Amino acid sequence: MLDESQIAQISGTTVYGSDGSKIGKAGEVYLDDQTGRPEWVTVNTGLFGTSESFVPLSDASLSGDGLSVPYDKDTVKNAPNLASDGHLSPDDERNLYTYYNVGYDEGAASGSYDTVGTTTETTTTTRGDDDAMTLSQERMEVGTQSREAGRARLRKYVDTENVTQTVPVTKERAVLEREPITDANVGDASSGPDFTESEAEVVLHEERPVTEKVVEPVERVRLGTEQVQTEETVTGEVRKERVEVDGDVSDTDRS
């Protein structure tokens, strides 16, 4: 059995079960009010040390590795759920002794146990870092990357088309003009021989359409680029870690 000199070594140490497996961290030590001996210790058995169970110290032993108790983890974890409020009532004591099948003397037992803090000093429970789990999750970051999506070319061709245009033209034709003999022209009319043979001619002219091709610029063209803003939906899978707890566990957010 442990004595008072070992109390300071119990709180905060690692508790191991009968099979050598780790049960949890030792919390508060409860002393017998009459003898002052350490009789009970609370062990943090839940996830992150949020659940405490009472374990008798009557057959426990201390070593360099921690505190060893003659019970396995399930036995300790399933012990009667009692509030570790610094005091054990006679009913609490009876229930614990019955559960652990430890001999209980109604007359000899004091029926009252207090934590170390009520008689000597307050004990602070320390949870080791190895009891904590870090939860991680993936975050999808979406950005943009420029890549070649295609090419555009500008080519110049020569097309030939028929053009029809109407243009006015002038041409001459011969016209026989007759005039009567008057006092004004009688002299000219009688100046020649009476009967002779003669001929007269006139040169006739006409206009013909001619064409000339003139090259002239009509517009300038070039290829450029413009940016068009659109939206695309990106779908992906990300992983996220979560935990599941069992037993009497309360969620304490320390963030």
Side-chain angles (χ1 to χ4, degrees), residues 192-199:
D194 292 335
F195 293 97
T196 60
E197 291 183 1
S198 63
E199 64 180 17

Side-chain angles (χ1 to χ4, degrees), residues 152-172:
R153 292 182 176 88
L154 180 64
R155 292 188 178 96
K156 185 171 69 171
Y157 297 92
V158 178
D159 290 333
T160 301
E161 63 179 11
N162 293 323
V163 178
T164 301
Q165 187 172 343
T166 301
V167 57
V169 296
T170 301
K171 68 179 180 177
E172 294 177 338

